[in-house]
Structure formats: C-alpha cells, structure tokens
Amino acid sequence: MSTATSPAPTTDAAHPADAHDLIRVQGARENNLKDVSVELPKRRLTAFTGVSGSGKSSLVFATIAAESQRMINETYSTFVQGFMPTLARPDVDLLDGLTTAIIIDQERIGANPRSTVGTVTDANALLRILFSRLGQPHVGSAQAFSFNVASISGAGAVTLERGGKTTKERRSFSITGGMCPRCEGMGQVTDFDLTEMYDDAKSLREGPFRIPGYSSDGWYGRIFAGSGFFDPDKPIRDYSEQELQDLLYREPTKIKVEGINLTYEGLIPKLQKSILTKDREAMQPHVRAFVERAITFTTCPECDGTRLNEGARSSKIRGISIADACRMQISDLARWVGELDEPSVAPLLANLRHLLDSFVEIGLGYLSLERPSGTLSGGEAQRTKMIRHLGSSLTDVTYVFDEPTIGLHPHDIQRMNELLLRLRDKGNTVLVVEHKPEAIAIADHVVDLGPGAGSAGGQVVYQGTLEGLRASGTLTGRHLDDRATLKPSVRTPTGALAVRGARANNLRDVDVDIPLGVLVVVTGVAGSGKSSLVHGSLPRGADVVSIDQGAIRGSRRSNPATYTGLLEPVRKAFAKANGVKPALFSPNSEGACPTCNGAGVVYTDLAMMAGVAAPCEQCEGRRFQAEVLEYKLGGKDISEVLAMPVTEALEFFGAGEARTPAAWTVLGHLADVGLGYISLGQPLTTLSGGERQRLKLATHMGEKGGVYVLDEPTTGLHLADVEQLLGLLDRLVDSGKSVVVIEHHQAVMAHADWIIDLGPGAGHDGGRVVFEGTPADLVAARSTLTGEHLAAYVGA
C-alpha cells in the first residue's frame, strides 16, 4: 500500500520569485520630472499627492502606465501592432518590476451621438440577446433590437463561377434591424431655420451663407456657384421651386467645377452628414453656436426618443419592452432582471445581473441605459469604466486611477474607498493620483511630489506612510489636516433669480430662489440633480457665464497663448512695432519655420514602432523662421516671449515699450487662477487636469457677465490650490458678480454665503431641495447627508 507523499517542508530561505515585490523607477524625466527615483510596494495602495502640475500624472501615467502598456503591445505580432496606437518609450533610465497596467482615467467617454451608457458597458448587447430569446412576440435576432442597425432587404441576380462555368442565380436577402426609420436611431429629429442658414436677399456670388466654412470664396461656396444648377447672380428669394429644392435637398450628383470632378449635394443632407453626426459637446464653439441658432432638436414623434422601431418596441418580457428597460433607472432594472427566472438563459441573466449590480455598487444606480455617454461628467465616466473591472478574476495587475473621487459627495467617497481596497485585497497594485484627504487616508504608501508646480516641481519631496507625511512639513503634509471654518458672517443678497417648476431630468417641480450678489454653493450626492437644476434651469442669457466640466481640447500646436486669445494682441503689438503683418508672428501661419512647419520638432513615422520626434535643426525648436526672430518688441523676439512664464510676461507687457493692455489683462486672469508659473508657449498636451481646468476658468473670466456658474472648479486641485480658488471667488463676488458653484468640496461649502442642498438620494430618490440656507444653519440642523458631513468636517 503506497502512501501519498506530503509536500516538502518550507525552509526559511526566501523563494527567488518573492524578491520582485517592488516597482522601481529610476531617473524619470517625462515632462517636468527631474530625475525622479521611487520604489513602490506591489499589492498595496499607493497615493500620489502634490499640487496641481507637480508631476503626479507624468510619473504615474506618462512613465509607469505608459511603459507597461508599451511592453504589452510589443508582445503582439507586428501585424496587430500596426492597428494599435504607437507609444514611445518614456524618458526614464530604469523601470523594473512592472505588471500589466489597467488605466482608468478621467477622459470623457467618446462623445458619439449613438453612444449610450448601455452601449459602452455592453449592457445593451446582453439585453438585446435576452429579448431575442424571451421576448414575445418574437421579432428576430439580437440585431432586431439594435437602434444602430437599419432594416433592409433586396433581391437581384448574382453571377457565380462553378466548375469552369458561369451561372446566374437569383438571390434575395433581408436584415431586420431595430433602428427607428424616422430619426435613424438618434432619438431626435431636426428642424432647420432657413433664415439662419442663408440671407435670401443675396446671390451665390455675394456669399449668402451664414454657415461656418461656407464663404463665397471657400470651396463650398465655389461648388454651389459653379454647380450649374443656379444662376450665381440671382438672389435666392427669386429661385424657382425646383432651384430651391436643388439648393436644399438635392441628392449627391457628380459635377465638374473649375476643371475638378466633385460631388454636389443639397445643403441640408450635407449638414446632416458633416455636422449633425457629431456630438454637440465635441464641436468647435463657433460651429456649436451655429447649430444652437439654426437647428432645433425635438424628440422623435415616431419612437418617442427610444431610437427603436415599432417591431423592437412591440416584443416584451413580462410586459416590459427593451425600450422600457433602457429607460428605467438602473437600480430598478437590476431588481427586474433579478426577478427573471429562466433556466434556458441562466448564464446570460447571471452576467447581466452582475453588470447591473456593479452599477448600483459603484454609485451609478441612478443612471439609465439610454443616457447618452457624452452627457456623463468626468467622475461618472471614470466610474463607468471601472465597472468592467469590479468582478474581474485577474490578480497581480496594476490598476491606475486618476482622482477616482471626482464628482463624489463625501458620502459617496467612503464607497469608492471600499472598492479601491477590495481591488488591492485581491492581490493587485493600486496607484491613485488623489487630492482628497479622505481618499489619501486609506493609502498604504504615499508619494508626495513638489515642492511647487511646473518647473518648480517634478521632485519627490516625501515617500512613506501617511503619518510620516503629516510630520514631513511638505505643502501636502501641512495642508492634510486643514479644516475650513464657517464664516462668522455672510454677505447679504442683492436680489434673487427665481427658478419655478424645474423638471429637467430627475427634478421634481423644483421651486427655488438663487440669491444674487453672493457666493452660492449647490450641493448634494452624485445624481441628486445639481447640474440639471443649475445648467437646465438658469436662463442662458447674455448675463450668465457658464464654465462646465468639459475638457479643453488642443493639439501640440495649441498653448495657453493661443487658447486664451493672448497671442492675438501680442502679434499685433509685434507687427505694429516692426511695420510688418501680424501673420508673421504665428508659428501656424506665415512665420512658421519651413522645415518643421512651425511644430518645433520633426516627426519620423516608423510604422508600428513609436515615431521619433527630433528637435528641428533649422529653427532649433523655436518654431519660427530666422528672419522673423530678427523683429523685436521691448528687446525680445516672439520665441523669447512665448518662452516666458506668465508672471514675467505680466511685467513685460505691463509697462515700457512692450506695454500691451489687452495682453496684460489676459495675463492677469492667468495669474489670478494660480497659473503664474506656466510658460505662454507650453503645449496644452503637457498641462495637467487641474491646470487645464484653471486655464479654462481664466479664459471665461474675461467674458462680460453678471452671473458666473462654475461646475466643480476644485477638480484636480490640491488643498493649497483650493485656498487660492476661494480667494478668486471672493474677489469675483466683491466686484459685484454673482457666483453659483456646483461643488462637493467641504472647504468651498464652508466658505459659501448660501447653500442649496439637493437630495435626499440619487436618481428618482433625489431631485428635491432638502435644504436652503447658510452653512451655519446647515451644520446646526444636520438634517441632510451634506449637513452631517460638513458638521464633521468643520468639527462642529
């Protein structure tokens, strides 16, 4: 009889595999990092702190996560790599102990008008299969429930070659899709205001179009004038019915203009393809302004905004159609799916239940699957991306988060902390870039970058435990236990903005008076209706300046000078001082270095390998032609001006020969928001999230308006930066403006003159005003979740 051999007894000698329990970074120099070296423990939660622009994202995302991603991409065949984004190796001496990185950043989910919460999380795909199997009456396969698939059928003869003979056969096909034929799966129909599209008193030669890009000397204008369908000298109001039909609705037709073969198409189908297929949030401001002026969007009367045709809506499970399911609040949908018991689709139901429960668990149960993904806030988008990782059975993975607490009420931060700890406890490394003390508190290891921002940062000023950080004396250490105090007295309102019967999204006939001339904070748990109340109910008049959370977009050629409009007066000042034209002083126009086209670097494309960007040898990275740099203003050329930090430029343009009041005003706004350290020509792509947020704020500060509406301005800001922001808000109010802030940060709540608290919960549990009054009254009453958290924060 044999006996089973027992495992060999463990010895004290450590296994060689256990030696790799650190991620080592040596000599990191991405963006503003100055030879940073750190050792991060694996299977622990590490928080990266520091002021906005100190180099946190450069270390975590641009170095550690980027190299992990690049090395994984290199494991694929070169054929597959050709379809993937090419990533350059980060500027670092050594990266050791990396594991697979899963990046969950704040980037908004693609703003495609066909993209909804259901499509981006695959919940719709599972629901479509469910209805195709269980729905009564049966209408077809899963694509019969998809609003992106049109129903189509056809028949005809096909020619086949078989055994050396050519035969003809008749074939027919049909595809049953779920797309509503009236709105083509968009949920909205459009109506065009022709008076905003063209001036009918003008002829085509006189440039009648009011559409961006349709000038008479541009290509579009020349196509219409040279099409041969119209007399180019006849005013549009004198067109015959057929000519007007051709101008507005003509189907694509081949034409020849100026010897070039082109396709002519009527104005309305052309606009529908070129402009209306884009999400409004993704449009350039002047295009969006035209769309808002000329085009009205109304809910499709045929599908009632569900995007689905009658067949898809007629198939039901227990009296619920797929359109009803997508319209339900996800927490209710999860309950309904949980009650379904059908052994034939058990694995599918289990998957769908898990996905919907993850929404509820992460605090997004108030959304509905039909919500367009472009309307999600940065925090909601980030949590939506987290959902697919919650039930993952992968371990020993590095999860990288960029401020996961953005957009979360203090009540919800606790839940997010539990999720992060759960990911860590499964044996994963969790790296979190964070500013909120409540989120930093759960870290096993803290890396603090600084001491300042931009060129004054990029160094590790502390790494170790949270207790050590408190005693370290760094900027973060000193501010970690800061607690705002309630103001001893609040300002008296000068008037009120009355909101009556607000019903946008989940609001329930809300009546509220928003005081004017004071600092008002609108707060409440995520999904309680704050943005719906402020953005949806405030009249969008000339007097309201609204600064939302939308990310600022810009290429490598965009910089603070171009984004804020600062470059315009600077170019004019240079042109006037030297007697030449302003276009010479733009690296994107006539003054550009001919070798690099004003980019400052020359790119070499290496197919599936990372392209190489080398500084341009001709202009040495200065982006301008040599002769342009001979023109001076106040003793400096244009490239030296663009290399200046804001504080230096403020002095330069404030007095003396270079005095330019228009430029000085814009620079003053940049300094006011705490961006005095960034250089005027720094590419926007190198700015951190907090810096971009403040750049946007500085741009809007120049606008004329009596009411400023700010949506979570503390996003991406360090505790020390929040103090500066509060000072700025105070200056705005003291100058006679009214400031309304949607915010969760307790320091901003404590600083307010008036608080409007929405709730009590999210989704259909919210949408009501649960408190309005001063912060002191809210703390004293403790009648709401916000009141309890604010009382604990100020130590009342």
Side-chain angles (χ1 to χ4, degrees):
M1 188 176 119
S2 64
T3 56
T5 56
S6 59
T10 54
T11 61
D12 289 341
H15 194 286
D18 295 335
H20 301 280
D21 55 357
L22 290 174
I23 295 174
R24 294 187 188 84
V25 181
Q26 286 181 13
R29 290 177 294 276
E30 275 296 311
N31 297 331
N32 66 333
L33 296 179
K34 298 171 182 170
D35 270 326
V36 165
S37 297
V38 288
E39 291 190 343
L40 310 173
K42 284 188 187 173
R43 294 176 285 282
R44 297 290 182 273
L45 194 152
T46 302
F48 292 81
T49 61
V51 293
S52 170
S54 60
K56 303 181 297 297
S57 295
S58 300
L59 177 59
V60 180
F61 291 93
T63 305
I64 298 170
E67 179 64 355
S68 171
Q69 200 112 48
R70 187 185 74 86
M71 294 178 87
I72 290 167
N73 288 2
E74 283 191 353
T75 63
Y76 299 116
S77 67
T78 51
F79 172 74
V80 174
Q81 285 182 52
F83 295 98
M84 302 176 81
T86 50
L87 302 164
R89 187 179 186 280
D91 189 2
V92 60
D93 293 336
L94 174 74
L95 274 168
D96 188 34
L98 290 179
T99 69
T100 305
I102 293 175
I103 301 167
I104 302 162
D105 57 19
Q106 291 172 32
E107 284 299 311
R108 295 292 175 95
I109 295 171
N112 182 320
R114 293 190 175 277
S115 173
T116 65
V117 170
T119 59
V120 296
T121 57
D122 295 335
N124 268 27
L126 297 173
L127 271 178
R128 289 200 297 266
I129 300 169
L130 182 70
F131 274 86
S132 71
R133 303 295 187 272
L134 301 182
Q136 290 299 326
H138 178 74
V139 294
S141 67
Q143 65 186 12
F145 296 93
S146 170
F147 53 74
N148 289 327
V149 178
S151 293
I152 185 171
S153 60
V158 293
T159 306
L160 304 168
E161 285 200 18
R162 280 186 187 146
K165 290 181 181 177
T166 303
T167 58
K168 282 194 173 183
E169 285 184 13
R170 183 169 176 77
R171 294 273 177 93
S172 61
F173 73 94
S174 72
I175 296 170
T176 305
M179 180 187 284
C180 167
R182 171 80 189 271
C183 64
E184 297 184 355
M186 303 291 268
Q188 293 179 318
V189 286
T190 52
D191 196 15
F192 291 82
D193 181 351
L194 299 181
T195 59
E196 289 291 349
M197 288 170 60
Y198 56 77
D199 180 352
D200 65 358
K202 290 182 177 177
S203 68
L204 289 174
R205 277 205 214 287
E206 293 170 317
F209 299 121
R210 293 168 172 163
I211 306 164
Y214 280 66
S215 62
S216 58
D217 52 353
W219 257 117
Y220 286 136
R222 283 150 71 186
I223 287 170
F224 278 95
S227 64
F229 300 129
F230 324 100
D231 174 356
D233 296 309
K234 183 161 80 170
I236 294 176
R237 64 166 60 142
D238 298 336
Y239 279 12
S240 67
E241 201 171 309
Q242 183 57 49
E243 284 175 320
L244 205 56
Q245 180 72 18
D246 287 343
L247 177 72
L248 295 175
Y249 301 106
R250 191 178 180 106
E251 293 294 311
T253 311
K254 298 284 184 200
I255 59 167
K256 202 166 201 166
V257 178
E258 299 171 24
I260 300 167
N261 290 325
L262 295 164
T263 301
Y264 173 87
E265 192 173 13
L267 266 181
I268 286 176
K270 200 174 195 70
L271 288 178
Q272 280 173 326
K273 287 175 190 170
S274 63
I275 293 180
L276 299 187
T277 52
K278 295 177 186 161
D279 187 85
R280 263 181 286 181
E281 300 305 312
M283 292 175 186
Q284 292 172 290
H286 68 290
V287 178
R288 192 187 316 155
F290 162 73
V291 169
E292 286 170 357
R293 259 195 339 265
I295 302 166
T296 52
F297 295 86
T298 50
T299 302
C300 173
E302 202 160 300
C303 67
D304 191 29
T306 61
R307 305 171 179 235
L308 293 160
N309 60 24
E310 196 176 343
R313 299 197 309 273
S314 68
S315 182
K316 298 187 176 181
I317 301 173
R318 294 194 183 178
I320 298 284
S321 71
I322 190 167
D324 300 330
C326 290
R327 194 158 267 185
M328 276 184 192
Q329 187 166 305
I330 289 174
S331 53
D332 296 341
L333 179 60
R335 211 170 297 123
W336 179 74
V337 171
E339 290 165 4
L340 295 178
D341 183 20
E342 194 65 47
S344 63
V345 288
L348 176 70
L349 282 172
N351 264 358
L352 186 55
R353 279 189 201 113
H354 173 73
L355 180 63
L356 297 173
D357 288 344
S358 297
F359 268 103
V360 177
E361 190 180 4
I362 209 163
L364 293 177
Y366 60 86
L367 297 177
S368 63
L369 295 181
E370 69 170 11
R371 169 100 174 250
S373 58
T375 64
L376 297 179
S377 69
E380 286 171 336
Q382 189 171 17
R383 283 179 285 153
T384 301
K385 290 179 202 169
M386 269 183 84
I387 284 167
R388 63 180 60 228
H389 304 297
L390 286 185
S392 170
S393 48
L394 288 173
T395 61
D396 259 330
V397 171
T398 300
Y399 285 97
V400 187
F401 291 95
D402 190 3
E403 288 189 71
T405 58
I406 278 184
L408 290 185
H409 187 270
H411 173 70
D412 300 314
I413 290 178
Q414 182 59 41
R415 185 188 276 168
M416 178 59 74
N417 282 351
E418 287 166 9
L419 291 171
L420 295 175
L421 291 173
R422 197 192 317 164
L423 283 175
R424 177 203 67 183
D425 294 345
K426 278 171 60 178
N428 298 306
T429 307
V430 181
L431 308 180
V432 183
V433 173
E434 223 0 302
H435 291 294
K436 298 258 175 79
E438 305 97 311
I440 299 168
I442 62 165
D444 303 302
H445 188 74
V446 180
V447 176
D448 191 20
L449 284 106
S455 55
Q459 298 169 45
V460 173
V461 290
Y462 172 80
Q463 54 178 320
T465 62
L466 185 68
E467 276 59 46
L469 176 65
R470 279 198 170 91
S472 65
T474 66
L475 195 60
T476 306
R478 291 200 303 273
H479 283 276
L480 201 58
D481 291 320
D482 274 6
R483 291 293 178 267
T485 52
L486 295 172
K487 290 198 293 195
S489 63
V490 293
R491 300 178 183 91
T492 307
T494 56
L497 202 62
V499 174
R500 294 290 176 265
R503 286 185 293 275
N505 298 327
N506 66 331
L507 295 178
R508 304 189 176 191
D509 272 329
V510 169
D511 294 340
V512 67
D513 292 323
I514 300 173
L516 295 176
V518 296
L519 176 59
V520 178
V521 168
V522 179
T523 187
V525 297
S528 58
K530 304 180 296 298
S531 297
S532 303
L533 176 67
V534 176
H535 294 306
S537 308
L538 278 182
R540 283 209 160 192
D543 211 32
V544 177
V545 177
S546 187
I547 306 166
D548 60 16
Q549 282 188 7
I552 69 172
R553 292 174 177 83
S555 65
R556 260 198 67 86
R557 288 180 177 273
S558 306
N559 53 48
T562 58
Y563 183 78
T564 56
L566 167 70
L567 199 56
E568 196 63 31
V570 170
R571 283 203 305 254
K572 285 178 179 168
F574 265 95
K576 190 176 177 186
N578 295 284
V580 290
K581 51 185 178 177
L584 282 175
F585 301 99
S586 168
N588 301 325
S589 187
E590 292 180 29
C593 161
T595 308
C596 62
N597 291 327
V601 289
V602 177
Y603 292 99
T604 310
D605 184 15
L606 299 176
M608 73 280 170
M609 287 183 283
V612 176
C616 173
E617 290 179 9
Q618 176 131 3
C619 66
E620 296 174 343
R622 286 198 287 252
R623 305 173 66 187
F624 292 91
Q625 298 172 20
E627 46 270 36
V628 172
L629 299 179
E630 289 171 14
Y631 299 119
K632 309 273 185 183
L633 176 70
K636 292 191 183 291
D637 64 46
I638 184 72
S639 72
E640 289 172 323
V641 167
L642 288 177
M644 283 182 183
V646 168
T647 43
E648 190 183 324
L650 202 55
E651 288 178 31
F652 180 73
F653 288 109
E657 185 196 334
R659 186 171 176 275
T660 312
W664 188 81
T665 305
V666 176
L667 289 163
H669 294 324
L670 287 169
D672 279 346
V673 297
L675 292 178
Y677 59 89
I678 63 170
S679 61
L680 306 184
Q682 185 178 339
L684 284 192
T685 49
T686 64
L687 296 183
S688 72
E691 287 169 332
R692 288 175 175 225
Q693 185 83 349
R694 285 181 288 165
L695 182 62
K696 188 174 179 180
L697 180 58
T699 309
H700 285 288
M701 275 178 63
E703 293 179 23
K704 297 282 180 282
V707 181
Y708 278 75
V709 176
L710 288 82
D711 197 344
E712 294 193 50
T714 61
T715 299
L717 295 192
H718 185 267
L719 296 158
D721 298 323
V722 172
E723 283 184 14
Q724 189 163 9
L725 176 75
L726 290 174
L728 173 67
L729 297 180
D730 275 343
R731 287 200 297 280
L732 279 173
V733 175
D734 293 340
S735 69
K737 310 283 187 195
S738 302
V739 180
V740 180
V741 185
I742 300 170
E743 194 48 87
H744 293 118
H745 203 295
Q746 290 112 315
V748 182
M749 290 184 211
H751 201 75
D753 298 308
W754 192 260
I755 284 185
I756 297 170
D757 190 9
L758 283 112
H764 58 47
D765 296 328
R768 292 190 287 268
V769 173
V770 289
F771 175 85
E772 47 184 320
T774 64
D777 292 343
L778 178 61
V779 167
R782 298 190 194 207
S783 55
T784 68
L785 281 170
T786 306
E788 288 171 24
H789 284 278
L790 186 58
Y793 182 82
V794 298

